[in-house]
Amino acid sequence: MHTAAVVEFQIRRRLPHFVMGFYLPGIACRIASWLQFWLDQTAVGDRAGLGITTVLTEIFLLEFSDAGMPKVSYMKAAELFVVVSFGFIFLALVESAIVYKATFWSVLREDKRELEKDVHLDKVIRYSETFKQTQPQDSWFVFKAINLRYKFQT
């Protein structure tokens, strides 16, 4: 005859607590990181501020996920979720920097073209002024060149 003690444990996960405290803020952070795609291309301060804030929030969420779970030697699903999300948010920040640089270079190219047009118009005006001295009936050409120069300067 053996005597035995039987112990029964009921373990329940606090899933609503973890969803409300971890997954919903993480999803809200990712949605907030998408806002930088709708910001103006030249608003680099706003885009960088939003991107850095979301990256730091993801780092905080990664630390939060570690604090509420037991220490194990493998990666948990919540950690994988945050690491992948961190990667996407970081890539959004990098994309924001690339868009700013591309916009900056395109504006420089456009300014260079306008400067070249202005130099060309100066040559046309000088030529037309010398032409005006020899041919007084072609004053319309000089007037048109001066008007074109005024349009490009404004």
Side-chain angles (χ1 to χ4, degrees):
M1 179 169 208
H2 290 335
T3 52
V6 176
V7 178
E8 193 173 303
F9 292 102
Q10 278 190 334
I11 300 174
R12 278 192 240 150
R13 293 181 186 221
R14 296 182 301 169
L15 194 60
H17 167 72
F18 202 67
V19 167
M20 294 296 288
F22 179 72
Y23 284 108
L24 285 181
I27 291 169
C29 182
R30 273 166 288 305
I31 291 171
S33 75
W34 299 338
L35 292 176
Q36 61 185 320
F37 297 128
W38 286 285
L39 291 176
D40 185 25
Q41 296 172 351
T42 57
V44 68
D46 298 338
R47 295 180 116 201
L50 183 62
I52 291 171
T53 301
T54 54
V55 165
L56 291 175
T57 304
E58 281 297 312
I59 291 171
F60 170 76
L61 285 175
L62 184 60
E63 290 297 317
F64 176 76
S65 72
D66 282 345
M69 294 190 173
K71 304 292 182 215
V72 292
S73 61
Y74 52 88
M75 183 177 268
K76 298 178 260 323
E79 290 175 342
L80 182 64
F81 174 74
V82 173
V83 167
V84 170
S85 298
F86 178 81
F88 282 118
I89 289 174
F90 185 75
L91 288 175
L93 181 63
V94 169
E95 184 269 345
S96 200
I98 290 171
V99 165
Y100 173 72
K101 271 306 203 185
T103 303
F104 178 75
W105 287 113
S106 69
V107 167
L108 277 180
R109 265 186 266 127
E110 188 177 312
D111 287 347
K112 183 180 176 185
R113 281 190 214 122
E114 285 184 19
L115 183 63
E116 288 171 353
K117 285 180 185 177
D118 194 29
V119 167
H120 177 70
L121 284 175
D122 282 340
K123 289 179 183 178
V124 168
I125 289 172
R126 272 184 286 191
Y127 174 74
S128 62
E129 286 173 354
T130 58
F131 190 72
K132 181 182 173 187
Q133 292 171 357
T134 60
Q135 301 284 338
Q137 69 269 17
D138 288 333
S139 60
W140 177 86
F141 182 72
V142 174
F143 177 74
K144 192 66 175 172
I146 290 172
N147 280 345
L148 282 174
R149 181 178 184 199
Y150 177 73
K151 277 185 185 177
F152 283 115
Q153 287 179 350
T154 56

